[in-house]
Amino acid sequence: MAEHKIITIGRQFGSGGHEIGNLLATRLDIPLYDNNLVRMVAEKLDIREETAQAVDETTLNSFLSGYVIAPMEYSSYIKSEEYVQPLTEQVYELQSEIIRKLADRSSCVIIGRCADYVLRNNPQCINVFICASMEDRIHRIVERYDLSERKAADRIKKIDRERRYYYESHTGQEWGSISSHQILLNVSLLGMEKTVDILEDIYRG
């Protein structure tokens, strides 16, 4: 088995992408990076995790939060009145830097955060996009968040829209397209276990 491979997973909301990444990382005994990336960024920027979470993987509905100034820069901003980089960009750039360092350190699975694009020049990066039928996605979100089917469908559309905008605004590529990703896997057709089996075989191949 070739060592030090990175699997990045883009995913539709409700498709089971996080669960697939978690199962895969457990099988391969390698780290999984998802929400823990947000915590790393918050610590580095010296901001609350909730603040970093608010702009994580979304730029569509975060105009105001996008222009929050990191605490450590506030005093210098008041004095100089110079341009301060929007928090959305601070988070993206620092998160990208962290992703590159983690990829250099060891094999791992990384969920979302444009990791496929960030690591596009890494020959050991395998980038995957996970999708599923709307019916299956609604069912998963209804169970996870105890929502009505209508509210689940609305949330899916909203978060997919945000993820698409976030990805495309940072990469210039089409989110979820075969032209942007090496591998597209439909969990509704394959099932969760088979999807993980395929990714494990690719990693070990």
Side-chain angles (χ1 to χ4, degrees):
M1 179 189 74
E3 296 182 349
H4 204 53
K5 291 183 180 177
I6 314 301
I7 294 184
T8 65
I9 299 179
R11 72 283 185 229
Q12 293 178 322
F13 184 60
S15 63
H18 175 84
E19 292 89 336
I20 288 166
N22 193 41
L23 286 169
L24 181 64
T26 300
R27 282 197 199 178
L28 299 174
D29 193 25
I30 59 177
L32 170 72
Y33 298 109
D34 190 353
N35 291 328
N36 43 0
L37 287 169
V38 180
R39 289 194 290 274
M40 295 178 197
V41 168
E43 289 175 7
K44 286 284 188 179
L45 288 178
D46 192 26
I47 59 176
R48 295 174 60 189
E49 187 175 333
E50 294 82 0
T51 304
Q53 188 73 51
V55 296
D56 179 51
E57 284 201 297
T58 174
T59 55
L60 188 62
N61 294 320
S62 59
F63 178 82
L64 292 178
S65 60
Y67 284 84
V68 172
I69 300 167
M72 61 183 179
E73 297 178 336
Y74 184 75
S75 59
S76 61
Y77 174 79
I78 293 298
K79 292 175 183 176
S80 66
E81 294 186 353
E82 293 178 353
Y83 170 79
V84 175
Q85 187 181 35
L87 186 58
T88 48
E89 294 307 310
Q90 292 182 53
V91 169
Y92 175 77
E93 290 185 8
L94 180 55
Q95 198 160 241
S96 297
E97 179 185 338
I98 291 171
I99 285 170
R100 284 189 286 268
K101 288 181 178 179
L102 292 171
D104 286 342
R105 181 185 302 173
S106 68
S107 297
C108 59
V109 176
I110 304 174
I111 308 294
R113 282 84 191 179
C114 301
D116 59 312
Y117 181 78
V118 172
L119 300 176
R120 62 192 181 280
N121 296 321
N122 186 329
Q124 295 302 310
C125 177
I126 302 163
N127 73 75
V128 182
F129 190 86
I130 302 296
C131 59
S133 70
M134 180 59 80
E135 181 182 359
D136 287 349
R137 294 163 67 196
I138 288 173
H139 179 72
R140 184 174 284 111
I141 296 306
V142 165
E143 289 205 336
R144 179 183 298 173
Y145 297 105
D146 192 26
L147 298 175
S148 68
E149 290 189 357
R150 181 174 179 177
K151 287 186 176 180
D154 288 344
R155 181 174 291 192
I156 287 169
K157 291 174 184 176
K158 175 180 180 292
I159 294 180
D160 272 1
R161 188 167 61 248
E162 291 176 347
R163 287 180 179 175
R164 174 183 293 277
Y165 192 89
Y166 179 89
Y167 182 86
E168 294 183 356
S169 65
H170 285 298
T171 70
Q173 301 186 50
E174 184 181 356
W175 182 73
S177 166
I178 192 64
S179 63
S180 305
H181 307 280
Q182 294 170 335
I183 303 164
L184 267 61
L185 297 174
N186 188 324
V187 183
S188 295
L189 298 177
L190 295 168
M192 189 78 69
E193 288 297 324
K194 181 63 175 176
T195 300
V196 177
D197 289 344
I198 291 170
L199 293 176
E200 182 181 7
D201 288 343
I202 291 171
Y203 178 91
R204 297 187 186 281

